[in-house]
Amino acid sequence: MKKIGFILNHYDVHQVPHIVPYAFEMSRLYDDAEVVIFCSSEQEASFARAIGQGYKGHRCTFEMLGVPLWVRVVDPLVSKVVFARKSFVLSHNAKRLVQFDVLAVPEMTSLALKQRPEFKNVKLVFTGHGAGD
């Protein structure tokens, strides 16, 4: 069984509708695929679940990506200069994410996983997130 993960790891929910429809459709079309939607916030998970209600019969599961406490405390201060939280979320959850055959991402930060040696056999798919209009 192929394991396909969809990563939502942003400060806001605006990227959710740009990627979760792919996840829901894949889970309906491919019986031999385990499709997991990874969320780094409850807001992302809630929005993704709401969109999923329009995809009857989808088999996606949801998992929360752990965000270390110190990152949650420090990030509001440093996010004005650098989006450190997104990178720390990926590093903190790398052991789980590397278990997947394919990871689909709507943003560029997650593509950095490909630079890590343990991800050499994981396919990364960049979906992009459109113009937003």
Side-chain angles (χ1 to χ4, degrees):
M1 177 173 281
K2 287 281 187 193
K3 294 175 75 169
I4 305 168
F6 289 79
I7 300 176
L8 297 171
N9 181 25
H10 209 273
Y11 286 88
D12 197 10
V13 299
H14 69 277
Q15 292 185 356
V16 174
H18 296 290
I19 192 166
V20 297
Y22 297 119
F24 296 129
E25 278 300 316
M26 287 188 82
S27 76
R28 292 192 322 182
L29 294 173
Y30 300 102
D31 292 335
D32 62 338
E34 174 189 350
V35 181
V36 178
I37 298 173
F38 290 101
C39 303
S40 65
S41 73
E42 286 297 331
Q43 293 84 3
E44 289 169 333
S46 178
F47 191 21
R49 284 187 178 97
I51 293 170
Q53 291 177 355
Y55 292 85
K56 302 297 181 214
H58 82 77
R59 297 176 296 105
C60 291
T61 59
F62 291 83
E63 287 187 31
M64 295 303 297
L65 293 169
V67 181
L69 177 61
W70 72 270
V71 172
R72 291 189 305 237
V73 170
V74 171
D75 189 64
L77 303 172
V78 301
S79 66
K80 307 291 187 251
V81 179
V82 63
F83 295 138
R85 178 185 173 275
K86 294 193 302 182
S87 295
F88 281 108
V89 166
L90 296 171
S91 292
H92 188 72
N93 294 280
K95 287 182 182 173
R96 175 66 178 132
L97 297 173
V98 77
Q99 297 173 10
F100 282 72
D101 300 299
V102 178
L103 293 171
V105 300
E107 46 75 39
M108 301 290 281
T109 302
S110 298
L111 295 176
L113 290 172
K114 200 60 177 169
Q115 305 307 312
R116 298 175 64 130
E118 66 268 37
F119 282 85
K120 70 178 176 150
N121 293 320
V122 177
K123 303 245 186 294
L124 281 165
V125 176
F126 175 63
T127 64
H129 51 79
D133 53 358

